[in-house]
Amino acid sequence: MAVRQVLKMGDPLLWQEAQPVTEFDTPVLHDLLTDMRDTMAELNGAGLAAPQIGVSLQVVIFGVQDNPRYPDAEVVPETVLINPRLSALSDLQDEAWEGCLSVPGMRGLVSRYLHLRYQGYDACGQVIDRSVSGFHARVVQHEVDHLYGVLYPMRIRDLRNFGYNEVLFPDRPPEIDD
Ligand code: NI
């Protein structure tokens, strides 16, 4: 299929609320997921939401294994998550630096729930129901935010904790940028 163009912050499509998927295991849905996987792999993303390529559906993908953009991250299984519902399993939150393919070259410090249950469906309509923590929980919260028109800079509490990657992290090799 194809690597698609990722919309950047400022594009009004990124502020829209995405619609639920009503038909699973269709050629259209599988083609969308192929494009999303190709695009995420090309850009070394940890995840991608359908609205980021201009498709306003409740579809996200994520997964982290040996990703040069996240060299120290724990492994997150490759997952397709459709029509997701999230619930925090405790009030505990932690802060960490996030990036986004729609906000290239930047990082921001964002607080997220540490322990999370997520439910939804895979591409064939099979139920997904997982309880996760840490980086895995963070990635899911970031991606699902995209389905509600929320980009991570909107969640930064102190905008002094938002900046250019090479300024914030000057020791990172230049090829590890987004
Ligand atoms: Ni993002």
Side-chain angles (χ1 to χ4, degrees):
M1 294 298 289
V3 173
R4 302 268 289 263
Q5 190 178 356
V6 175
L7 303 181
K8 290 183 186 159
M9 186 167 66
D11 192 311
L13 287 176
L14 291 170
W15 312 134
Q16 283 186 8
E17 208 170 302
Q19 299 302 306
V21 169
T22 54
E23 285 188 280
F24 293 87
D25 203 18
T26 63
V28 171
L29 182 58
H30 288 299
D31 286 352
L32 169 65
L33 286 164
T34 301
D35 283 1
M36 289 175 68
R37 284 193 201 92
D38 289 351
T39 304
M40 184 174 115
E42 173 75 13
L43 301 173
N44 292 319
L48 190 72
Q52 290 182 277
I53 58 168
V55 177
S56 192
L57 287 172
Q58 292 181 17
V59 177
V60 304
I61 62 172
F62 51 85
V64 179
Q65 273 167 324
D66 301 324
N67 188 323
R69 283 181 75 231
Y70 298 92
D72 302 321
E74 63 201 73
V75 169
V76 178
E78 298 290 334
T79 302
V80 170
L81 183 64
I82 297 172
N83 299 351
R85 282 184 295 143
L86 308 186
S87 44
L89 294 174
S90 81
D91 291 333
L92 284 179
Q93 299 198 359
D94 73 338
E95 286 196 314
W97 293 93
E98 293 188 9
C100 180
L101 298 175
S102 295
V103 192
M106 303 194 79
R107 288 286 186 275
L109 195 61
V110 180
S111 192
R112 300 282 189 188
Y113 288 109
L114 198 49
H115 304 291
L116 183 78
R117 179 183 181 187
Y118 66 87
Q119 296 163 283
Y121 302 92
D122 72 9
C124 295
Q126 299 293 311
V127 170
I128 294 172
D129 187 343
R130 292 181 184 156
S131 294
V132 300
S133 297
F135 183 69
H136 189 159
R138 174 173 296 278
V139 168
V140 175
Q141 289 168 86
H142 176 114
E143 295 312 325
V144 172
D145 263 356
H146 280 295
L147 305 182
Y148 295 90
V150 175
L151 298 182
Y152 81 82
M154 297 155 78
R155 295 201 180 276
I156 298 169
R157 287 173 178 160
D158 179 345
L159 281 170
R160 285 173 293 194
N161 293 320
F162 182 42
Y164 292 95
N165 205 16
E166 73 271 20
V167 179
L168 289 165
F169 305 104
D171 297 332
R172 289 177 58 151
E175 68 270 21
I176 302 177
D177 196 7
D178 45 23

